[in-house]
Amino acid sequence: MAEETENTPTAPTARQLASARGFVAKHGKPSRAVVENIGLAGARVVLVGPDGAMGDVLVAGVETGAALVEQVDDLEAAEWDSETVKTVKIGAAHRRKMAGPRAGR
């Protein structure tokens, strides 16, 4: 697991905040956010709207992800619990995209 160091910024950028706020505005209130550590690359904040849409914002680390969630109105910290998972709606096109080249076989 990657450790955050003194050099890792903990404040989200204006662009990251705008992206999360735009997702909430487009997909509804309250939206959920699951912060996932992705190692040296930082953290991924997975956004889940009440309409079932998913989005994400990449940030420098888990602390930055938590700060992003705190700073965006109507964005709630969440885990991958049954309530969050039930909210997500993944269509056929997204499933094919996730499957990659093997989807056509």
Side-chain angles (χ1 to χ4, degrees), residues 14-27:
R15 185 175 185 170
Q16 292 164 338
L17 289 167
S19 179
R21 288 179 179 131
F23 180 90
V24 172
K26 183 175 181 180
H27 296 288

Side-chain angles (χ1 to χ4, degrees), residues 10-94:
T10 56
T13 66
R15 185 175 185 170
Q16 292 164 338
L17 289 167
S19 179
R21 288 179 179 131
F23 180 90
V24 172
K26 183 175 181 180
H27 296 288
K29 303 173 186 178
S31 290
R32 297 170 183 248
V34 180
V35 180
E36 301 175 327
N37 184 349
I38 55 174
L40 294 176
R44 178 181 183 216
V45 181
V46 181
L47 307 169
V48 179
D51 64 354
M54 284 181 63
D56 64 359
V57 178
L58 297 179
V59 295
V62 174
E63 288 181 8
T64 307
L68 181 132
V69 174
E70 289 177 18
Q71 293 179 38
V72 176
D73 292 336
D74 298 310
L75 187 60
E76 301 174 348
E79 299 288 328
W80 285 118
D81 56 11
S82 63
E83 192 66 31
T84 302
V85 172
K86 285 182 203 175
T87 303
V88 176
K89 294 180 183 151
I90 299 175
H94 188 72

